[in-house]
Amino acid sequence: MGFAPDGSFNSDPGDELKIVKKDHPITEGLKEKVKVHKPLAQLMTCSGFQGDADIIAVRVDNEKLVAMSAYEEGTKLIKGATKTRHVNI
């Protein structure tokens, strides 16, 4: 979909995210660390978001792995731009 290159997506067990953009509408009112699943579950993440992604949350155990991001309408991607808002969770 043009967000990140193949090979930069990950799916390892985990249960906690770190909110890095607390003023985003998706994360309003959340604490800095959020437990998303108990027991551990597969967390889909990406280490290679490109363009003008708004990084919202990362894994607590590896902050290079983005777990939540957003692209506003018209935001630059690897090639081209978005036609509407996209949220990756």
Side-chain angles (χ1 to χ4, degrees), residues 40-52:
L40 298 179
Q42 298 289 72
L43 295 178
M44 297 297 295
T45 58
C46 180
S47 60
F49 278 110
Q50 296 186 12
D52 294 324

Side-chain angles (χ1 to χ4, degrees), residues 18-37:
K18 177 181 179 182
I19 306 301
V20 295
K21 186 155 179 115
K22 293 183 180 185
D23 62 345
H24 195 278
I26 293 173
T27 57
E28 282 183 29
L30 295 178
K31 296 179 181 178
E32 181 181 2
K33 292 183 181 177
V34 178
K35 188 169 291 274
V36 295
H37 197 276

Side-chain angles (χ1 to χ4, degrees), residues 66-80:
V66 176
M68 296 172 67
S69 65
Y71 289 86
E72 295 300 323
E73 181 177 352
T75 301
K76 179 182 170 186
L77 298 170
I78 292 173
K79 293 182 181 178

